[in-house]
Amino acid sequence: MRSEELGETLLPKRLALPIFASDPLSSVAYATQEILLVLTVGGTAFLYLTPWIAAAVVGLMVVVVLSYRQVVHAYPSGGGSYEVASRNLGPNAGLVVAASLLVDYVMTVAVSVASGVDNIISAFPGLDDHRVLLAVGFVALLTAMNLRGVRESGKAFATPTYLFIGAMLLMIATGLVRLAFGDAPVAASAGYGVEPEHGKDALAGIALLLLGLRAFASGCTALTGVEAISNGVPAFRGPKSRNAATTMAAMGIIAVVMFSGVTALALIAKVHIAEDACQLTGFADCATAPQQTVIAQLAAATFGGSDSVMFYVIQAVTALVLILAANTAFNGFPLLASILAEHRYLPRQMHTRGDRLAFSNGIIALALVAGGLLWLYDADVTSLIHLYILGVFTSFTLSQTGMVRHWNRALATETDPAVRAGAQRARVINALGALTTALVLVIVLATKFTQGAWLAVLAAAVLWVMMRGIRRHYDRVAAELSLTDPQDASVRPARVHGIVLVSKLHKPTLRALGYAQAFQPDELEAVTVAVEPDSTAELHEQWDAAGLGVPLKELASPYREITKPVTAYVRSVRQEHPGDAVAVFIPEYVVGHWWENLLHNQSALWLKSRLLFTPGVMVISVPWQLNSSARADRPARRAPGAVRRGEPQPPARAQDPAKTP
């Protein structure tokens, strides 16, 4: 796609919702499950805390969604939490947010795909041995789809996301209707007991409070990805801020309804699930058989068993949307990396769009790291979840604190009563968001640090240090290259000393010599290294007989080296005439097969790598195309879409008359 076609990739709200909100919408498939997994540490005695914890998660989600609606209006350029923190709290705070979000985007891909594979295995337990292969394969598929471009991936992901929303609402409504008519759904695990890890009486007082806080921290996975819309405002059609805010409100309402419904249905159906299946008394073959997910148990209980059509429909759309939920990260990570690269905190390549107008380098980097995590942790959701959400709440807290400062500055200069009233209302919302998310951050850090969250903290810290180092490098290079004096641009060398490197007298040497003479240097000489005395003497005879008019200088090499004598001689020329420029001409072969590079040009490669570090020395490669290189000059095949774009057919290769029948 051409650069001017970028506007055609902007998203309407109906496509922006599945692209940017599939992560928080799909998290209802495992958020309730994570709460139950923590509470069953004490057996079934503490499941009564579930509705209170769920209510706290819902309240937090409402506060966060309202807070981020203020962000998309105040900062429509798409930096999201990073831009808010950078502008209002300083660049270091902005980098903390950026590092946290980059880590969290990676975890979003890993956890979403692993959870999706879990739901597939719930329907087809025989696939349990291929868990990692399935997960890595899905990451590769998502990568390929996103490399096709934002709009194309949005179209592909919209239908599964809307099917998932419809299926969840249908399951919740069916379960509640059955309850109203006295036929409440009952999960297959309702008859299982749960053996507490430490005994019921061991969890009281402070221990019980910590258990509740840990369950709340796990349930907060429902909020992952909420900030993605604020990062992706530039991808919306105009009016961008209003459309982004509307999409965020729709996402919040749908997520709250589905999370509340799934949690209520899990309590009604008496779903029992544990981190270790052998804690479930009555669960057959606990050592090898995988547990069904909460969604799978609810679908079976609501629609008449695990062999019903709707059970497989629910599992299919849940698995699909969980895998596609990683698309939130595949859009957010490259966008954020592009902004960071523009600000010189990441390599410039991250800011470059590919031929489909997607940030290809960011997409590939995300896929490689997420795939590596899935392989390292065996695509196990419970292991990966401990590394999750810490980055989210770090960015939540700092961005909302930054928004409070933003409104303070705005109120200091604003005089219009209506505008001031809106700013004051927004400040209250953001202040509430900052306080609540800071509290949750402390809870998450305290309850999950030793269980794996320390690794996420370490990764974010390493990223922060690395980004500061990259910025310092770019700043140092910019200062070094800047024109401090306009006269610097007109500085010319006093003379040019040309050196043609010669190994033997053949066609490539003559071409290099002719090219050097065309430059008309002030002084030109040919240089050879005397590795073998007989060959060197023969070269001198051939050189004199050819009458080339250019002197041939011989460099001694008692240890049969080529690179050191040449570099030493070139440096000596520079030292004798510091104001001169030295132009070194190196004949090189151009080959058509990759393996031919192993057979040729090795000495030239080493020479160039050393000479390029010598100030005042220009290294000029003079190519000689071998016959095998002709294959690289063939007309290129037409790229995909060439016919649609109206590109002309490449000219046919001329046929050899001698081979014509």
Side-chain angles (χ1 to χ4, degrees):
M1 298 182 70
R2 296 176 179 273
S3 297
E4 57 266 23
E5 295 179 271
L6 181 61
E8 298 178 15
T9 67
L10 297 179
L11 302 169
K13 295 189 291 292
R14 60 184 173 80
L15 289 182
L17 181 67
I19 285 180
F20 291 112
S22 55
D23 180 21
L25 292 178
S26 66
S27 63
V28 301
Y30 54 81
T32 299
Q33 177 171 308
E34 291 305 315
I35 294 174
L36 296 177
L37 283 171
V38 173
L39 292 179
T40 51
V41 167
T44 59
F46 302 108
L47 292 180
Y48 73 90
L49 294 173
T50 304
W52 300 103
I53 293 170
V57 172
V58 168
L60 180 62
M61 183 177 289
V62 171
V63 170
V64 170
V65 169
L66 289 175
S67 299
Y68 270 96
R69 277 173 56 86
Q70 315 307 315
V71 173
V72 299
H73 284 297
Y75 294 93
S77 58
S81 300
Y82 164 69
E83 183 176 2
V84 172
S86 297
R87 289 197 183 184
N88 297 288
L89 302 177
N92 286 333
L95 283 186
V96 171
V97 169
S100 300
L101 283 177
L102 290 175
V103 171
D104 195 70
Y105 281 136
V106 172
M107 295 311 306
T108 295
V109 176
V111 171
S112 295
V113 170
S115 184
V117 171
D118 257 1
N119 278 272
I120 293 174
I121 293 171
S122 292
F124 304 101
L127 295 174
D128 191 37
D129 293 338
H130 308 289
R131 179 186 298 269
V132 175
L133 181 62
L134 284 171
V136 174
F138 283 129
V139 171
L141 179 62
L142 285 167
T143 303
M145 295 178 72
N146 276 278
L147 288 174
R148 287 291 299 166
V150 174
R151 189 176 180 85
E152 281 73 9
S153 63
K155 291 177 180 177
F157 300 161
T159 301
T161 303
Y162 287 124
L163 283 176
F164 171 74
I165 294 171
M168 288 295 103
L169 295 178
L170 176 62
M171 182 179 73
I172 294 166
T174 303
L176 295 178
V177 169
R178 286 185 57 180
L179 175 66
F181 282 92
D183 181 27
V186 179
S189 63
Y192 300 155
V194 182
E195 291 288 340
E197 288 187 10
H198 307 291
K200 175 183 174 182
D201 296 333
L203 292 172
I206 298 297
L208 180 58
L209 175 62
L210 291 175
L211 179 69
L213 292 176
R214 183 180 158 198
F216 172 69
S218 294
C220 286
T221 53
L223 278 79
T224 55
V226 169
E227 81 292 338
I229 291 176
S230 67
N231 293 333
V233 177
F236 282 79
R237 284 182 182 171
K240 295 179 182 292
S241 293
R242 190 175 71 185
N243 286 339
T246 302
T247 304
M248 183 166 283
M251 174 209 67
I253 293 169
I254 296 170
V256 164
V257 170
M258 290 198 300
F259 172 70
S260 303
V262 168
T263 305
L265 205 57
L267 293 174
I268 292 168
K270 297 181 173 58
V271 171
H272 291 163
I273 191 168
E275 288 191 14
D276 183 1
C278 292
Q279 284 182 253
L280 299 174
T281 57
F283 186 80
D285 198 14
C286 65
T288 58
Q291 297 180 75
Q292 283 191 328
T293 62
V294 167
I295 294 295
Q297 294 188 47
L298 292 178
T302 304
F303 295 112
S306 56
D307 56 353
S308 63
V309 174
M310 281 305 299
F311 169 80
Y312 286 104
V313 170
I314 293 288
Q315 290 309 104
V317 297
T318 302
L320 188 57
V321 82
L322 277 166
I323 292 167
L324 297 184
N327 193 58
T328 298
F330 272 103
N331 283 278
F333 183 100
L335 276 172
L336 179 58
S338 170
I339 293 170
L340 289 167
E342 186 180 7
H343 295 170
R344 296 183 292 182
Y345 288 115
L346 285 180
R348 295 285 175 82
Q349 295 91 327
M350 291 294 184
H351 186 57
T352 305
R353 292 182 184 269
D355 56 2
R356 294 293 303 174
L357 295 178
F359 294 110
S360 306
N361 293 324
I363 291 170
I364 293 171
L366 173 61
L368 290 175
V369 179
L373 275 175
L374 286 166
W375 174 78
L376 186 64
Y377 284 88
D378 295 324
D380 180 55
V381 177
T382 303
S383 300
L384 289 166
I385 207 77
H386 297 309
L387 283 70
Y388 207 15
I389 78 175
L390 190 66
V392 172
F393 283 97
T394 301
S395 65
F396 283 174
T397 302
L398 290 176
S399 68
Q400 299 312 308
T401 304
M403 285 301 296
V404 172
R405 180 169 290 186
H406 166 82
W407 296 123
N408 287 340
R409 290 174 178 169
L411 287 168
T413 57
E414 185 58 57
T415 57
D416 186 283
V419 175
R420 286 183 62 83
Q424 288 170 343
R425 182 173 61 253
R427 183 174 62 177
V428 170
I429 293 172
N430 289 128
L432 180 61
L435 290 173
T436 53
T437 54
L439 177 61
V440 174
L441 177 60
V442 172
I443 293 171
V444 170
L445 195 59
T447 58
K448 289 184 174 289
F449 188 82
T450 57
Q451 295 179 321
W454 65 269
L455 187 58
V457 174
L458 178 62
V462 170
L463 268 175
W464 186 85
V465 172
M466 183 189 74
M467 288 190 290
R468 282 180 57 85
I470 291 173
R471 176 59 186 262
R472 283 197 300 269
H473 169 78
Y474 278 133
D475 288 347
R476 185 168 61 248
V477 170
E480 184 179 340
L481 300 181
S482 63
L483 290 174
T484 54
D485 185 351
Q487 296 299 320
D488 292 345
S490 60
V491 173
R492 297 179 60 182
R495 299 168 67 252
V496 175
H497 187 111
I499 298 175
V500 179
L501 300 184
V502 177
S503 60
K504 60 179 64 175
L505 188 58
H506 51 19
K507 292 178 180 179
T509 299
L510 293 178
R511 175 176 288 183
L513 192 62
Y515 190 71
Q517 289 172 325
F519 265 72
Q520 298 181 345
D522 297 283
E523 184 176 347
L524 179 62
E525 63 179 334
V527 172
T528 189
V529 180
V531 176
E532 297 179 2
D534 294 342
S535 298
T536 305
E538 183 180 354
L539 176 61
H540 275 290
E541 292 177 5
Q542 293 174 346
W543 195 269
D544 294 338
L548 299 174
V550 176
L552 176 63
K553 184 178 183 63
E554 178 183 326
L555 301 180
S557 180
Y559 297 101
R560 297 160 305 285
E561 291 183 306
I562 295 176
T563 304
K564 284 186 178 180
V566 172
T567 53
Y569 176 68
V570 171
R571 287 170 181 166
S572 68
V573 172
R574 277 284 298 162
Q575 290 171 357
E576 290 176 11
H577 307 283
D580 291 0
V582 179
V584 181
F585 298 84
I586 304 178
E588 287 191 58
Y589 301 135
V590 178
V591 299
H593 304 94
W594 64 268
W595 51 266
E596 289 181 287
N597 283 306
L598 302 176
L599 308 177
H600 304 285
N601 298 325
Q602 297 306 307
S603 297
L605 181 65
W606 282 106
L607 279 167
K608 285 195 294 185
S609 65
R610 294 291 298 275
L611 291 172
L612 287 173
F613 286 98
T614 307
V617 175
M618 298 355 119
V619 181
I620 303 166
S621 296
V622 183
W624 179 270
Q625 291 78 12
L626 296 178
N627 289 336
S628 65
S629 67
R631 64 189 298 273
D633 196 35
R634 296 173 186 171
R637 294 176 59 189
R638 288 213 268 182
V643 174
R644 171 172 49 80
R645 292 192 296 269
E647 294 180 3
Q649 175 75 27
R653 295 181 63 194
Q655 190 174 15
D656 188 345
K659 297 181 180 179
T660 304

